[in-house]
């Protein structure tokens, strides 16, 4: 067989530690009985993890507050020897039952301090909360409140059956400074118009043209890895896959060669500065960056503005260059238009006569650039994490790559034939979905899971929880590509009835799903063909 070097990796993230979960009504009792210290094994609140604090019931707000407040009085009155107090106690007990019934019909609420989730992935505590509070509950942090959805039927209703009632909401606000009204954050008529223009660019001839580029980029990446291996150097795989995916999306979207695998382009540094800022703003409680004087004096905001200028200036240059090429080439625009000189999405949009402002085109390009590389890089990183210590999966991947590809770069037919490799990617996206939550905002009052959701409510559809729900998946925490047999249809939101949302679902489903899947399969197959 072909020579295979060893893949070395740093910064490996292990599986989450297992944890015993109990209903909130039992949490304090169990903890107290076991340790005599509220179940914390002698730890102070500051020493406990957020998961431990949630399970202890600290944030619990279930039941009726009025019933809890009056309970000591009711118990005291029940001991009164003359009967008057006992009658009053009975009346309070019946009233308490009524209060509890009303409380039971309210959406469960988990409360806490928003500082608890800053600095950690929000979807991890959401899974713990889901096990305690159920398929639909409200998570409140001071003035902020989010409805958390962890149920396939409710997710289907939001994403497909009543999708017109839900906007991107909070996501649009977070991403406005970087993506504006690009395809992902856009809502309403803007989204409809931009989708009608962009989707035709992703036609079959375009995907066919991209396949060879996927293979060439992946082979270039493998050669970079070989050089590191020969020098005995470790390669940090998340950084590697981010650079590989950025190289691919740069060529695919606007025919720009970052070659970030071998050098640091200033545009790359600027893109990642902007990405870090978007993440920072998503959890920071006070949006001080909306105050111009503060934005001018705070160093990180000045750095962000400078990075944005670098990216927007570069995009403007690419747009100008593509317009000039379209005018010079004067090619006839047909249904599946593809220029041999420049097969990029940018060239397609300009050649199609897309009549929009440069600002809108920049927003679209920025959206495709960021969304099109960050997610794929994360999928490939987690796939490597899943595969790297599994000898059987590694062997099967290598056998399939040797049999299907040999020493060739993949064609479209090859990628369709790499069925086991595809199932490995499918299963990796189940365990580590990208993104792990989908964000929506209710435009009008609605009912979800039997609970009223008011107009303006922000929702998190927890894809992570759907993909790890033990009611949907046997052994949900186990990496098992065999759960999606190669002789059955490709798993997606339709085949799995919205229990599996690797690319979302409904009309806002990712438009680049096949692009991303083929890119990931090509990269994994070529890497596994070359390395152990």
């Amino acid at each position: 067989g072909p020579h295979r070097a060893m893949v070395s990796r740093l910064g490996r993230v292990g599986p989450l530690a297992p944890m015993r979960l109990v209903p909130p009504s039992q949490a304090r009792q169990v903890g107290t009985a076991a340790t005599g210290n509220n179940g914390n094994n002698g730890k102070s609140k500051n020493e406990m993890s957020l998961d431990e604090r949630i399970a202890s019931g600290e944030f619990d707000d279930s039941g009726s507050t009025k019933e809890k407040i009056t309970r000591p009085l009711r118990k005291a009155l029940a001991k009164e020897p003359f009967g008057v107090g006992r009658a009053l106690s009975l009346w309070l007990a019946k009233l308490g039952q009524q209060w509890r019934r009303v409380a039971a019909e309210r959406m469960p609420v988990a409360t806490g301090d928003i500082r608890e989730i800053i600095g950690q992935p929000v979807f991890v505590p959401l899974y713990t909360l889901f096990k305690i509070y159920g398929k639909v509950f409200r998570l409140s942090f001071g003035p902020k409140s989010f409805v958390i959805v962890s149920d396939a039927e409710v997710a289907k209703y939001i994403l497909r059956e009543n999708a017109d009632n839900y906007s991107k909401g909070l996501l649009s606000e977070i991403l406005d400074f970087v993506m504006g009204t690009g395809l992902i954050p856009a809502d309403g008529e803007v989204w409809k118009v931009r989708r009608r223009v962009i989707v035709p660019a992703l036609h079959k001839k375009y995907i066919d043209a991209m396949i060879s580029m996927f293979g060439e980029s992946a082979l270039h990446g493998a050669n970079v890895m070989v050089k590191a291996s020969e020098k005995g150097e470790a390669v940090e795989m998340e950084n590697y896959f981010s650079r590989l995916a950025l190289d691919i999306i740069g060529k695919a979207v606007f025919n720009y060669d970052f070659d970030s695998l071998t050098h640091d382009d200033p545009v790359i540094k600027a893109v990642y500065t902007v990405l870090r800022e978007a993440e920072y703003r998503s959890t920071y409680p006070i949006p001080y960056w909306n105050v111009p004087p503060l934005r001018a004096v705070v160093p990180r905001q000045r750095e962000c503005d400078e990075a944005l200028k670098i990216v927007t200036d570069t995009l403007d240059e690419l747009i100008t260059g593509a317009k000039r090429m379209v005018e010079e080439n004067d090619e006839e625009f047909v249904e599946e238009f593809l220029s041999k000189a420049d097969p990029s999405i940018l060239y397609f949009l300009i050649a199609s006569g897309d009549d929009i402002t440069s600002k809108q085109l920049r927003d679209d390009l920025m959206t495709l650039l960021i969304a099109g590389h960050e997610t794929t890089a994360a999928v490939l990183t987690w796939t490597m994490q899943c595969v790297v210590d599994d000898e059987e999966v590694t062997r099967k991947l290598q056998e399939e790559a040797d049999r299907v590809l040999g020493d060739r770069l993949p064609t479209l037919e090859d990628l369709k034939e790499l069925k086991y490799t595809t199932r490995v990617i499918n299963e990796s996206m189940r365990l580590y979905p990208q993104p792990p939550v989908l964000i929506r905002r209710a435009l009008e009052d609605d009912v979800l899971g039997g609970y009223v959701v008011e107009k303006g409510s922000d929702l998190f559809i927890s894809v992570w929880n759907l993909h790890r729900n033990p009611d949907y998946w046997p052994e949900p925490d186990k990496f098992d590509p065999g759960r999606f047999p190669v002789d059955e249809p490709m798993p997606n939101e339709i085949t799995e009835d919205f229990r599996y949302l690797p690319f979302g679902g409904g009309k806002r489903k990712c438009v680049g799903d096949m692009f991303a899947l083929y890119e990931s399969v090509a990269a994994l197959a070529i890497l596994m063909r070359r390395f152990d």
Side-chain angles (χ1 to χ4, degrees):
H3 166 72
R4 293 189 175 100
M6 289 294 291
V7 173
S8 179
R9 72 272 184 205
L10 292 174
R12 184 175 163 204
V13 181
L16 297 174
M19 176 182 160
R20 184 183 175 208
L21 296 166
V22 295
S25 59
Q26 300 173 19
R28 294 187 185 86
Q29 299 167 8
V30 171
T32 304
T35 66
N37 195 28
N38 292 328
N40 303 337
N41 294 317
K43 294 180 182 178
S44 69
K45 190 166 83 168
N46 291 337
E47 293 173 323
M48 295 167 64
S49 70
L50 180 60
D51 279 355
E52 289 172 328
R53 292 175 62 187
I54 289 168
S56 76
E58 179 185 336
F59 303 124
D60 180 32
D61 189 34
S62 61
S64 166
T65 303
K66 287 183 288 188
E67 191 275 332
K68 290 175 185 174
I69 291 172
T70 58
R71 194 182 301 163
L73 175 62
R74 191 185 75 229
K75 290 182 177 179
L77 288 170
K79 297 175 182 178
E80 189 267 324
F82 303 107
V84 178
R86 288 201 296 272
L88 189 57
S89 176
L90 179 62
W91 176 76
L92 279 173
K94 290 179 178 178
L95 194 58
Q97 288 176 345
Q98 183 180 334
W99 288 336
R100 283 199 300 272
R101 275 197 302 272
V102 172
E105 293 170 1
R106 288 200 311 263
M107 184 183 294
V109 179
T111 61
D113 185 332
I114 195 160
R115 290 172 296 183
E116 299 292 345
I117 64 170
I118 294 175
Q120 70 165 317
V122 67
F123 53 88
V124 175
L126 287 188
Y127 183 76
T128 309
L129 289 166
F130 152 63
K131 299 294 286 184
I132 295 172
Y133 294 100
K135 62 184 183 181
V136 179
F137 66 91
R138 188 177 297 280
L139 177 60
S140 294
F141 288 106
K144 290 184 178 288
S145 175
F146 310 96
V147 175
I148 313 299
V149 174
S150 309
D151 180 78
E153 281 298 316
V154 178
K156 184 199 296 186
Y157 175 79
I158 295 168
L159 296 175
R160 189 171 75 179
E161 295 168 7
N162 197 27
D164 289 341
N165 188 47
Y166 293 93
S167 71
K168 288 298 184 81
L170 189 65
L171 186 70
S172 299
E173 294 169 3
I174 293 169
L175 297 176
D176 178 69
F177 80 102
V178 54
M179 294 183 187
T181 54
L183 192 61
I184 287 179
D187 278 313
E189 197 59 32
V190 173
W191 170 78
K192 289 178 184 176
V193 171
R194 297 318 300 154
R195 193 178 195 281
R196 280 197 295 265
V197 173
I198 290 171
V199 168
L202 298 162
H203 53 69
K204 185 177 181 300
K205 281 176 67 177
Y206 171 77
I207 296 295
D208 283 348
M210 293 300 106
I211 299 300
S212 59
M213 187 264 286
F214 293 163
E216 289 164 2
S217 296
L219 186 62
H220 174 49
N223 290 334
V224 169
M225 292 276 285
V226 167
K227 290 177 182 176
S229 176
E230 289 171 348
K231 295 177 183 177
E233 296 175 351
V235 176
E236 202 283 291
M237 295 306 295
E238 183 179 16
N239 181 277
Y240 170 87
F241 283 132
S242 293
R243 289 169 179 268
L244 172 61
L246 191 61
D247 285 354
I248 289 173
I249 206 69
K251 292 176 184 174
V253 174
F254 34 68
N255 199 30
Y256 184 91
D257 189 4
F258 287 111
D259 192 19
S260 59
L261 280 162
T262 54
H263 79 290
D264 287 327
D265 189 302
V267 181
I268 298 167
K269 292 182 178 178
V271 166
Y272 279 100
T273 297
V274 170
L275 275 175
R276 284 194 301 271
E277 180 61 22
E279 184 177 26
Y280 169 77
R281 292 186 184 187
S282 71
T283 57
Y284 201 82
I286 302 170
Y288 67 86
W289 46 84
N290 290 332
V291 181
L294 288 178
R295 196 164 63 240
V297 299
V298 176
R300 71 172 300 133
Q301 299 307 322
R302 286 205 311 271
E303 184 184 6
C304 176
D305 286 346
E306 291 165 5
L308 270 174
K309 187 175 188 309
I310 289 171
V311 179
T312 54
D313 286 352
T314 302
L315 292 178
D316 281 340
E317 289 174 16
L318 291 167
I319 291 168
T320 301
K323 284 179 178 177
R324 187 168 55 247
M325 277 187 68
V326 169
E327 290 169 1
E328 291 172 357
N329 293 334
D330 193 25
E331 299 169 276
E332 181 187 0
F333 187 82
V334 292
E335 186 178 354
E336 289 201 344
F337 176 83
L338 190 76
S339 170
K340 289 183 179 178
D342 182 352
S344 70
I345 291 174
L346 170 60
Y347 195 97
F348 177 97
L349 294 177
I350 294 173
S352 72
D354 184 19
D355 185 22
I356 51 160
T357 64
S358 292
K359 165 74 166 64
Q360 180 62 60
L361 192 49
R362 276 205 318 268
D363 288 349
D364 290 334
L365 297 177
M366 184 76 94
T367 301
L368 294 170
L369 171 67
I370 292 176
H373 98 270
E374 186 77 354
T375 48
T376 302
V379 166
L380 285 167
T381 306
W382 283 113
T383 301
M384 184 61 70
Q385 155 75 8
C386 292
V387 165
V388 76
D389 288 326
D390 193 319
E391 292 182 6
E392 182 184 2
V393 172
T394 297
R395 179 181 55 78
K396 286 182 177 179
L397 284 170
Q398 291 175 336
E399 286 177 354
E400 185 173 75
D402 293 344
R403 174 174 55 80
V404 174
L405 297 183
D407 290 326
R408 294 182 295 104
L409 290 178
T411 63
L412 179 59
E413 290 308 311
D414 290 334
L415 294 183
K416 291 178 179 177
E417 194 59 32
L418 288 166
K419 294 181 179 179
Y420 183 74
T421 307
T422 304
R423 292 300 180 264
V424 168
I425 298 283
N426 295 148
E427 173 67 349
S428 166
M429 288 193 292
R430 184 193 66 80
L431 267 180
Y432 300 103
Q434 305 298 329
V437 295
L438 300 175
I439 300 175
R440 294 291 186 271
R441 176 172 291 161
L443 300 176
E444 299 293 341
D445 290 356
D446 206 349
V447 177
L448 301 179
Y451 303 116
V452 173
V453 173
E454 296 176 351
K455 174 182 177 179
S457 295
D458 287 311
L459 286 75
F460 286 175
I461 300 173
S462 179
V463 181
W464 179 279
N465 291 356
L466 290 173
H467 286 194
R468 289 174 178 255
N469 188 333
D471 292 335
Y472 299 158
W473 307 97
E475 298 185 273
D477 295 328
K478 180 182 178 183
F479 176 69
D480 177 18
R483 74 174 75 242
F484 299 124
V486 294
D487 55 354
E488 292 185 6
M490 174 86 71
N492 57 35
E493 78 282 7
I494 304 302
T495 64
E496 308 305 317
D497 199 20
F498 279 72
R499 298 176 177 190
Y500 180 63
L501 300 173
F503 295 104
K507 67 180 186 179
R508 299 299 298 257
K509 180 180 178 179
C510 173
V511 296
D513 54 348
M514 294 314 297
F515 181 104
L517 190 64
Y518 285 146
E519 172 190 3
S520 301
V521 170
L524 183 61
I526 287 173
L527 204 58
M528 297 306 294
R529 184 178 69 180
R530 193 71 177 268
F531 296 94
D532 288 313

